[in-house]
Amino acid sequence: LRIFKRTGLIEDDTTFPKSFKNEIEKKLSLEELNNLHGQIVNLGKDFCRTKPICKNCPLAGECDYEKEITLP
């Protein structure tokens, strides 16, 4: 949820919208969903923590949160 909120893919809400989840599930195979899940878990573990490590993050430049904290 933290990654999706920070990148602006979902609103700052406490739940993951079912419509968003349903769209992803329609477009990806089970193997692709498992791969995506693993990548999201690793991104959260390595970069998008409660106190994020934005330097070298693969989403740097795409993340609303990273843009916000690096404003001059």
Side-chain angles (χ1 to χ4, degrees):
L1 250 163
R2 182 184 308 130
I3 294 166
F4 288 95
K5 286 179 187 177
R6 288 181 177 169
T7 56
L9 290 172
I10 61 172
E11 296 295 319
D12 192 18
D13 193 13
T14 57
T15 60
F16 198 77
K18 288 183 181 179
S19 60
F20 188 78
K21 183 179 177 186
N22 289 340
E23 285 302 311
I24 291 172
E25 289 175 344
K26 285 182 198 175
K27 295 179 181 183
L28 300 176
S29 69
L30 182 57
E31 183 179 343
E32 291 169 323
L33 282 170
N34 287 335
N35 185 12
L36 176 62
H37 178 263
Q39 290 178 26
I40 291 169
V41 168
N42 286 332
L43 184 67
K45 180 178 60 108
D46 296 338
F47 298 100
C48 201
R49 303 172 178 183
T50 304
K51 183 177 178 184
I53 303 170
C54 296
K55 185 177 181 180
N56 299 324
C57 176
L59 296 180
E62 302 297 324
C63 178
D64 295 341
Y65 184 83
E66 187 259 345
K67 290 175 189 173
E68 181 180 308
I69 64 169
T70 58
L71 287 175

